[in-house]
Amino acid sequence: MTFALGLLVLAALPQAASSPPPTPTTSQPVPSSEVVDTARQWLSLIDQARWDESYRATGASFRKLNTVQAWAKVSEEVRAPLGAMISRTFVSQEDLPAPPSGYEVVKFRTRFAN
């Protein structure tokens, strides 16, 4: 649900077409290709409207707070209006030290048809 609400907020923001993607600096850690690939695969499920599979690929804490029906409904409402995915570029990866085991945050810049 949080992801879907985040998509809704991002969809409402104006696109900064003229701003170039951030350039990595030497102080940033090298991204984990496994984590980035997993994030891309999950987003691909979303792009293909494969709500059940994308839901099953979420963590237990997400599934505890959301049902597959709620996920599918909200995802369809938020994702479908964006249209087809045109391009997706890796922006950054960050390790957030949060309980219980921390989180990997992977950011992409994505262009959609709409």
Side-chain angles (χ1 to χ4, degrees):
M1 192 77 151
T2 303
F3 174 74
L5 293 175
L7 280 177
L8 181 60
V9 170
L10 289 176
L13 293 175
Q15 295 294 321
S18 62
S19 63
T23 9
T25 63
T26 54
S27 65
Q28 292 180 334
V30 176
S32 163
S33 61
E34 181 181 350
V35 172
V36 173
D37 288 345
T38 299
R40 281 186 193 279
Q41 291 168 8
W42 188 77
L43 289 171
S44 178
L45 294 173
I46 303 290
D47 294 335
Q48 298 169 40
R50 293 164 62 183
W51 312 128
D52 290 349
E53 290 176 65
S54 64
Y55 176 82
R56 285 193 304 272
T58 62
S61 59
F62 179 87
R63 290 190 309 271
K64 183 178 178 182
L65 297 172
N66 299 281
T67 65
V68 68
Q69 295 84 4
W71 170 247
K73 181 181 182 291
V74 172
S75 297
E76 183 69 31
E77 290 172 0
V78 173
R79 176 61 184 86
L82 299 174
M85 190 271 296
I86 296 171
S87 66
R88 179 167 287 129
T89 307
F90 172 78
V91 174
S92 66
Q93 178 185 355
E94 182 180 1
D95 179 29
L96 295 179
S101 305
Y103 296 95
E104 290 291 328
V105 177
V106 182
K107 296 180 184 178
F108 297 96
R109 175 166 283 115
T110 306
R111 289 188 56 224
F112 296 99
N114 299 334

